[in-house]
Amino acid sequence: MGAWVLIAAVVAVLAFGAWRAAVNGRFRGTHAVKGSGDEPATDSAGRDPSPLDGLLPSGTTLGERATLLQFSTAFCAPCRATRRTLADVAEVVPGVAHVEIDAEHHLDLVRQLRILRTPTTLVLDAAGREVSRAAGAPRKEQVLNALAQASP
């Protein structure tokens, strides 16, 4: 009886590990920003304003084409790898900016954007609206594919 319980536990752990490896760093859909209101007003060009207006730290400059917004923490090893990957992509793709935010120092923003783990990368379009997000360390190909969705 005890051997069957052990085998079932090992199978469950292996299945969870396989699932976690499969979804780690994969870009998925977006989440609504908490407290952003039901009906966004339009700006002078008739576009919906970014739900991140006024939420990002002062001095944050968005890219002309897209922005890779990374949430990380100081002691996160995958965050360092993600930083290198996103910086490389931002250097190669014109009009793309990489912005890194320390999640520990911006807890209100983390809560509003429903960031559950680090690293989390948000792909923002030129207007600053979230197009996609990835929890975990994405590969360069995944980032490039997500940027293709953000392009007009």
Side-chain angles (χ1 to χ4, degrees), residues 16-56:
F16 176 76
W19 171 79
R20 182 70 182 240
V23 299
N24 188 43
R26 181 182 299 158
F27 283 90
R28 293 182 210 90
T30 64
H31 295 289
V33 177
K34 290 170 71 175
S36 64
D38 297 330
E39 300 264 339
T42 56
D43 63 7
S44 60
R47 297 174 304 204
D48 292 339
S50 167
L52 300 179
D53 285 344
L55 296 178
L56 296 176

Side-chain angles (χ1 to χ4, degrees), residues 33 36 49-57 62 69 71 109 112-113 122-124 127-130 133:
V33 177
S36 64
S50 167
L52 300 179
D53 285 344
L55 296 178
L56 296 176
L62 300 180
L69 184 62
F71 288 87
L109 180 59
Q112 286 181 315
L113 295 177
L122 305 182
V123 177
L124 308 177
R129 291 182 298 269
E130 183 179 331
R133 69 170 52 204

Side-chain angles (χ1 to χ4, degrees), residues 58-122:
S58 61
T60 301
T61 305
L62 300 180
E64 296 172 7
R65 177 177 160 203
T67 303
L68 301 170
L69 184 62
Q70 176 188 351
F71 288 87
S72 59
T73 53
F75 297 104
C76 168
C79 294
R80 291 189 289 274
T82 300
R83 179 183 310 121
R84 286 189 300 272
T85 300
L86 298 180
D88 288 347
V89 169
E91 284 180 18
V92 172
V93 181
V96 174
H98 171 227
V99 176
E100 186 174 4
I101 295 179
D102 186 345
E104 294 174 303
H105 292 103
H106 297 91
L107 291 177
D108 288 338
L109 180 59
V110 166
R111 287 184 193 106
Q112 286 181 315
L113 295 177
R114 296 181 181 148
I115 305 297
L116 301 177
R117 64 183 272 214
T118 58
T120 292
T121 303
L122 305 182

